[in-house]
Amino acid sequence: MIFLIIDNIKFIILAVFIIIIIIIASSIYFFSTKQKIIRILSKLPIKQFGSLKANEFSRVKGKALHIKEPLVAPFSKRKCVFYSIKIEQKKSNGKSSHWKTLVKEEQIQDFFLEKNGDYVMVKPKQNPKNYMSHLVIDKKVSSGTFNDASQEFEQLLKNYNIKSTGFLGFNKQIRYTEGIIEIGEEITVAGIAKWKNLKEPIKGFNYSKIVELESSEKQKLIITDLPNIKSKKRL
């Protein structure tokens, strides 16, 4: 009888532990930036540029085009208007291990969205940050015990003052991820539409006024290259 009670207690403890793990994992997934963006965008119809209304939070899709000299992605060397990278090293502590972030870098610039010859302007700011974003990982590269860092990866690590080998010459376990918005890539942006007078002419743009997508105190810009986010019917 005593053994049966003990077994039941162990089962209950295990069940509670599993439920807690499931709740934590579900919460992390639900409240992730990616899922927040998908939930917000799924409530918005995709609007044509010509139907944007002033002061309305709207969602549009178009090709990203640079306004000034584009950024260059650190590893792939592709021209872009936005890149986000992360460099991590695997650290071990006894029986457990984890990935420690060594570098987390994000660079973004003002850019156009173009669709059927129409344009809108997007002016993200990093300080203070006025946008929420999620970029699909375009490039992954790693090194490890039996995997030497390539010449290109070695140079990248050197640029960030990171050594690929340890004190005894063994390879460190390092991984790199890179997401970018490439010039000409179709992306989704949501923001509050505002008509703006251009103070200075922009090369390749022949109009004095343009719609700019902005943020507000309550709603940040949303920028993503996630494909196929379901929404209401196209307007």
Side-chain angles (χ1 to χ4, degrees):
M1 185 67 178
I2 295 175
F3 290 113
L4 182 60
I5 294 173
I6 293 174
D7 286 342
N8 286 338
I9 292 173
K10 287 181 178 180
F11 175 79
I12 292 170
I13 292 173
L14 179 60
V16 170
F17 179 75
I18 292 173
I19 290 170
I20 291 172
I21 294 297
I22 291 173
I23 291 173
I24 292 173
S26 299
S27 297
I28 291 172
Y29 175 80
F30 183 82
F31 291 108
S32 68
T33 301
K34 178 182 177 180
Q35 293 305 314
K36 285 181 182 178
I37 287 174
I38 290 173
R39 285 197 298 275
I40 294 171
L41 293 181
S42 65
K43 297 176 183 178
L44 297 172
I46 300 174
K47 285 203 167 185
Q48 300 301 317
F49 291 7
S51 66
L52 290 172
K53 296 180 181 179
N55 302 316
E56 184 177 76
F57 185 62
S58 303
R59 171 188 175 186
V60 295
K61 289 185 72 173
K63 293 181 180 179
L65 300 177
H66 57 292
I67 295 174
K68 54 186 178 180
E69 186 65 25
L71 302 168
V72 177
F75 184 79
S76 65
K77 303 301 181 185
R78 290 180 294 170
K79 292 183 178 182
C80 57
V81 297
F82 187 6
Y83 72 74
S84 178
I85 69 165
K86 185 188 287 188
I87 303 174
E88 300 170 289
Q89 181 182 347
K90 194 170 189 179
K91 297 284 189 177
S92 297
N93 183 14
K95 294 182 179 180
S96 63
S97 62
H98 68 281
W99 287 96
K100 179 183 178 180
T101 299
L102 305 180
V103 174
K104 190 173 184 181
E105 180 178 289
E106 192 170 277
Q107 293 292 331
I108 193 168
Q109 62 178 209
D110 299 350
F111 61 91
F112 281 135
L113 274 187
E114 183 274 331
K115 187 79 171 182
N116 300 324
D118 293 325
Y119 292 79
V120 299
M121 183 184 287
V122 185
K123 299 185 74 172
K125 297 177 183 178
Q126 287 185 293
N127 189 24
K129 191 172 182 178
N130 72 339
Y131 64 91
M132 180 166 47
S133 63
H134 178 82
L135 300 186
V136 175
I137 298 301
D138 298 293
K139 193 70 179 178
K140 294 181 180 180
V141 63
S142 63
S143 63
T145 306
F146 303 107
N147 178 26
D148 294 341
S150 66
Q151 184 177 347
E152 294 81 7
F153 191 29
E154 193 73 60
Q155 182 58 52
L156 174 81
L157 296 176
K158 185 178 179 181
N159 292 341
Y160 289 95
N161 297 315
I162 299 171
K163 293 183 178 181
S164 64
T165 57
F167 179 71
L168 298 176
F170 293 108
N171 291 337
K172 297 177 182 178
Q173 284 189 278
I174 300 175
R175 64 185 184 186
Y176 169 89
T177 55
E178 176 184 283
I180 75 169
I181 291 180
E182 195 170 7
I183 304 300
E185 181 180 355
E186 186 171 75
I187 66 169
T188 299
V189 177
I192 299 169
K194 299 278 188 178
W195 278 99
K196 297 285 184 173
N197 291 311
L198 294 176
K199 295 179 180 179
E200 297 179 3
I202 296 174
K203 185 178 180 181
F205 187 74
N206 300 320
Y207 302 96
S208 60
K209 297 184 73 174
I210 191 171
V211 174
E212 182 179 317
L213 294 179
E214 295 186 347
S215 63
S216 69
E217 292 183 2
K218 295 182 179 180
Q219 179 60 65
K220 292 185 176 182
L221 280 167
I222 295 177
I223 304 169
T224 185
D225 57 356
L226 281 167
N228 304 322
I229 299 176
K230 294 181 180 179
S231 69
K232 299 176 184 178
K233 66 180 181 179
R234 194 181 301 266
L235 298 181

